[in-house]
Every structure is written in structure tokens, then in C-alpha cells.
Amino acid sequence: MNVVILAAGQGKRMHSDTPKVLHPLAGRPLLAHVIDTARGLRPGVICIVYGHGGDSVPRTFSQPDLVWARQEPQLGTGHALAQALPHLDPKSPTLVLYGDVPLIRAETLAALCQAAGKGVGLLTIELDDPHGYGRIVRSRGKIRRIVEEKDASKAERTLCEINTGIMVLPTARLKGWLARLQNRNAQKEYYLTDVIAAAVADKVSVSAAAPGAVWETAGVNSKSQLAQLERVYQLNLAAALMEQGVTLADPGRVDVRGSLACARDVFIDVNCVFEGDVVLGAGVSVGAHCVIRNVKIGAGTRIESFCHLDAADIGARCRIGPYARLRPGTTLAEEVHIGNFVEVKASQIAARSKANHLAYVGDTTVGSDVNIGAGTITCNYDGANKHRTIIEDDVHIGSDTQLVAPVRVGKGATLGAGTTLTKDAPAGALTISRAKQVTVPGWKRPVKKKQGA
Ligand code: UD1
Ligand code: CA
């Protein structure tokens, strides 16, 4: 089979400089969803007709299996398909998809191809409000032609069976039909829909199939429609997660922009956003309002509310947050605790270590059973280069300590609160850099001067 995706149109009603098919749905361009579905059908060729927005569309998709056909100027859907013709295998049928109809399902397309046989297949649907769509004109039950809203008679406008735009066509015949298209219509365009009457005239069978759900064939013409389809996508995904046993506090308040794999007994509270590839182990619980991107979380770990986790690998039975930030390159072993207002970047933290309050741990290797006190900062940046800090097993770091990297704290060492560590701290000893405490005898608090005195 050949697949052609029409994506040259402007999308005026989006009011945006970004070409319509590049607007994201679930974090990926609309067109990416259509390409994925097309790939699932294992076609011989996927040809995308582009035009409006120029090369920014093909530049976004570098995969070598895609063929691009430029349509310039854009003279209608029939003219668009004609641009793809040279790339199509005339011996196999051609399936036409729209780049701005992102949620069409592969099963529906398979059923359409089945219905078409060697003839034409049209995906149609009955709508209560068919306004704006091309209408399917039948006589004695048989499809005769499609008439666009703008060209339709009053009687034709009452027809409720509409053209979704998705169709499958015998490629060898298509060439002749497209060559004979005229643009004598209300929009002065070459309508792809006119090939239906041509097929009927040539005695080629025209069959219809219907999608399983209305949203499958819903197009995106405005930001409001984009938001509606985003919610459809998210609700479908939430339903699939619950089907697998995930507990969602509210399926209407979860957003997955990528893939989310969950083991048994996962709980997700409201308003969490998952991006990229996220894997949650058995019994993981995610608190409200977390953003989690490209993260793997081990079994039994609790993420408290308001965490921001990015490209981190979190072990089993950890406690993270509330208000924790894990940045790329963070690896936590099991039973690590990262508390409120703690930022960790490019660091490995071994089992049972804790940084529970207000700390920055960057470019650091932390051993096991380490306690990092409140307000501890690893000073990893000298203004030009980054340096590493090494904290060995069983170290206790007092509050408000700065570790000026490169620096190493030996096994079992203790750093006194308020230490600014600029040299390595030996194992097993207390190291402290604080000035000695003094009390100044006879010192008086300053008093406010009298006004006008
Ligand atoms: C089209 C159909 C209409 C159908 C409706 C479904 C025609 C003539 N009409 O109408 O019967 O009910 O879709 O949504 O086909 N495109 C190009 N190049 C062009 C024009 C359009 O690539 O020159 C692409 C657009 O990017 C879009 C698709 O074709 O993906 C449909 O174009 P659009 O202008 O939305 O078609 P409608 O007028 O809505
Ligand atoms: Ca449209």
C-alpha cells in the first residue's frame, strides 16, 4: 500500500507562525501521530505533501522512510495528491490521510481498506451537525459523489453523512481521475472529492466504512479543537493505564507526553505531567503536581507532591520531595531520601543516604549511609570549569556547609556545621573550619537617632 499524508495547508485559524501540523499533541507534532499510525500499516511508501511553512515541516522529521512532495502553491486537496503521484507504486492502493487528523486508529484504516477491496473506500460518518464538511450524496443507497458545503444545494446541506477526507483509491486509476479534475467550484480549488464521481462514472466500486469513534476523524483547525483532541488522547491513555491496574486520583487530570510504563499497584495523584519515557516500578506512588521526564523509579518509592524530576534513575524504596528537583545524571540507589528544596545534578548517591532539607548536590559521588545537613552546598563551579566532590560512606555533614570542589570527604568523617571545606577531610575525624565563638563584653545595641536632633 501507498500512504499519502496531506499536510500542505496553512491552518489560518491557528493564528500561529508554526505550521499547523507541527503543533504538539501530547508533546509531539500532530503529523508525528499520523506518521506513527501510517507506519503501523507497514506501507511500501509514506509520502507527505507539504507546502505551507516550507522546509520546516520536512526538517522536523529526518527519518529516511519518509518521502516528501512539495505542493506550491496549494490549489486544493486533489492538486495536493497529484504532487505525490510520482512517488507511488501504481500497482498498490493509495490511502489518503490528513496531517491534521491525528487520532485516526490503525484498526479503522484496516477496516476501510478491507471495505474498499480493489475499488474506492471512503471513511464517512453521520454527524448531527454536518456543517462545513463535504456531504456524501447517495442514490438508491449507492454513493454517487461528494459535494462540498460551499457548493451544496439547500437539499444537499441537509445530508448528515459526511466525508472525513480519509479514503483509499486504486492508484492506477487515480492518475487519470486527478488529471481530469477541474477547479470550477466555489473555492476555485482542485477537489480530491471529485474523484468519487469519476470513479462512479468509470464503474469502479465505491464503498464506505465508518470509524469506531467520532474523535478519530476530528481535525485540528483551531487551538480549541487542538485542546479538545489533547484531552481525548489523555483520557484514552488514562483509561488504558487504569485497565492495567494503575490507580489515578482523577483520570481527567493526568498528562502523558511520551510513554509511561507502570508495574503493579502504582498510584498517581492529580495534575502530574509525564514526559519522554517514564518507568514506574511496583507500588510507586507519585504525589500531586509532579513533572517527571525520562525517569526510572524503583519499586516502593514515594514521590511526594511538587517534585521536578528530569533524566534521573531512582532506586527502590526512596523518599523524594515534597519540592525536590532531580536534574539529568542523577542516580539514586535504594532507600535514599531527598527532601524539600534539595537539588541534585549529575550525582550518584548510594544506599540509605539522605539530604532532607535545602541543599545543592552537583557533580558529586555520595557513598552509603551519608547524612547531608540542611543548607549544604557543593561548590562545583569555579566560574570556568566544573569539579567533582567525593563523599565516602557514613559521612555526616553539618548544616550550612560548603564543599569547594574538587574535594573529598573520607569514610566516616564528620564536618562541623558552617564549615567551608577547601581541602580534603580525612576519614573518621571531625573537620571544622568555623571561627571560634566569642562573646564581646559590654557591647550595646545601636539606638535610633532622634528626628531633627
Ligand atoms: C476537506 C474535504 C471535505 C471533508 C473535509 C474533512 C476536499 C475538497 N474537501 O475539506 O470533503 O469533509 O476535508 O475535514 O477535499 N491540503 C493540502 N493542500 C491543499 C489543500 C489542503 O495539503 O492545497 C491538506 C490540508 O493541510 C489538510 C487537508 O488537506 O490536512 C484538508 O484540507 P482542508 O482545507 O482542511 O479541507 P476542507 O476544506 O476542510
Ligand atoms: Ca479541515
Side-chain angles (χ1 to χ4, degrees), residues 6-10 20-21 49 71 74-77 79-80 98-101 132-135 146 148 162-165 187 189-193 221:
L6 302 185
Q10 177 176 10
K20 178 160 79 177
V21 292
V49 181
Q71 185 200 17
Q74 290 104 44
L75 302 178
T77 49
H79 178 255
Y98 284 6
D100 56 0
V101 179
Y133 290 97
R135 308 298 207 284
I146 298 174
E148 291 304 296
I162 63 101
N163 172 33
T164 64
Q187 304 184 78
E189 283 183 7
Y190 296 90
Y191 291 164
L192 175 56
T193 43
N221 297 302

Side-chain angles (χ1 to χ4, degrees), residues 22 104 107 164 363 409 413 421:
L22 296 186
I104 185 71
E107 295 89 315
T164 64
D363 301 297
V409 184
L421 194 73

Side-chain angles (χ1 to χ4, degrees), residues 375-393:
T376 296
I377 309 276
T378 55
C379 311
N380 57 337
Y381 187 50
D382 62 12
N385 297 297
K386 297 276 169 69
H387 302 282
R388 286 201 76 82
T389 298
I390 296 173
I391 301 169
E392 295 182 356
D393 294 347

Side-chain angles (χ1 to χ4, degrees), residues 173-419:
R173 309 301 294 265
L174 182 62
K175 209 169 176 174
W177 297 337
L178 289 177
R180 298 206 300 269
L181 288 182
Q182 301 281 326
N183 67 347
R184 278 175 303 204
N185 51 51
Q187 304 184 78
K188 305 258 176 308
E189 283 183 7
Y190 296 90
Y191 291 164
L192 175 56
T193 43
D194 286 348
V195 303
I196 302 306
V200 170
D202 284 356
K203 302 206 163 26
V204 173
S205 76
V206 179
S207 323
V214 179
W215 47 259
E216 281 191 62
T217 56
V220 172
N221 297 302
S222 65
K223 291 289 169 72
S224 157
Q225 289 172 341
L226 179 61
Q228 283 168 32
L229 287 193
E230 175 79 33
R231 204 35 51 198
V232 167
Y233 178 97
Q234 296 299 347
L235 284 169
N236 287 346
L237 211 140
L241 287 171
M242 292 188 294
E243 194 64 35
Q244 291 159 34
V246 176
T247 305
L248 298 175
D250 180 354
R253 281 187 289 170
V254 62
D255 286 80
V256 180
R257 301 172 190 154
S259 79
L260 174 60
C262 297
R264 287 176 86 81
D265 295 310
V266 164
F267 169 76
I268 299 170
D269 211 332
V270 298
N271 292 337
C272 291
V273 178
F274 298 90
E275 296 179 338
D277 296 319
V278 175
V279 179
L280 306 182
V284 164
S285 125
V286 180
H289 308 284
C290 290
V291 176
I292 302 182
R293 177 188 306 132
N294 294 319
V295 171
K296 227 178 110 190
I297 302 180
T301 286
R302 260 184 94 91
I303 310 292
E304 303 290 352
S305 52
F306 296 102
C307 287
H308 193 282
L309 315 178
D310 186 5
D313 195 334
I314 302 172
R317 300 179 305 284
C318 291
R319 279 282 293 276
I320 312 294
Y323 298 101
R325 180 173 184 206
L326 303 184
R327 291 172 51 201
T330 295
T331 304
L332 310 181
E334 59 279 3
E335 290 172 50
V336 168
H337 291 189
I338 302 293
N340 40 246
F341 307 107
V342 174
E343 173 181 349
V344 184
K345 184 216 85 169
S347 296
Q348 296 74 48
I349 302 184
R352 296 173 304 280
S353 288
K354 298 179 172 69
N356 271 329
H357 334 264
L358 304 159
Y360 173 63
V361 179
D363 301 297
T364 301
T365 304
V366 180
S368 55
D369 300 293
V370 168
N371 191 70
I372 296 175
T376 296
I377 309 276
T378 55
C379 311
N380 57 337
Y381 187 50
D382 62 12
N385 297 297
K386 297 276 169 69
H387 302 282
R388 286 201 76 82
T389 298
I390 296 173
I391 301 169
E392 295 182 356
D393 294 347
D394 198 29
V395 163
H396 284 207
I397 298 178
S399 297
D400 193 25
T401 293
Q402 302 91 50
L403 298 105
V404 182
V407 75
R408 172 187 291 265
V409 184
K411 187 171 175 175
T414 301
L415 302 185
T419 291

Side-chain angles (χ1 to χ4, degrees), residues 35-120:
I35 291 172
D36 276 3
T37 307
R39 281 203 184 107
L41 301 167
R42 309 201 160 279
V45 57
I46 300 176
C47 179
I48 302 166
V49 181
Y50 72 104
H52 190 82
D55 290 334
S56 63
V57 178
R59 258 190 283 124
T60 307
F61 301 88
S62 53
Q63 299 89 337
D65 63 325
L66 305 174
V67 176
W68 298 88
R70 192 174 178 124
Q71 185 200 17
E72 194 64 67
Q74 290 104 44
L75 302 178
T77 49
H79 178 255
L81 186 55
Q83 312 311 304
L85 267 183
H87 302 289
L88 308 181
D89 171 8
K91 290 192 287 296
S92 36
T94 295
L95 174 67
V96 179
L97 301 177
Y98 284 6
D100 56 0
V101 179
L103 300 186
I104 185 71
R105 291 184 316 139
E107 295 89 315
T108 296
L109 297 174
L112 173 66
C113 294
Q114 184 94 47
K118 288 192 159 52
V120 172

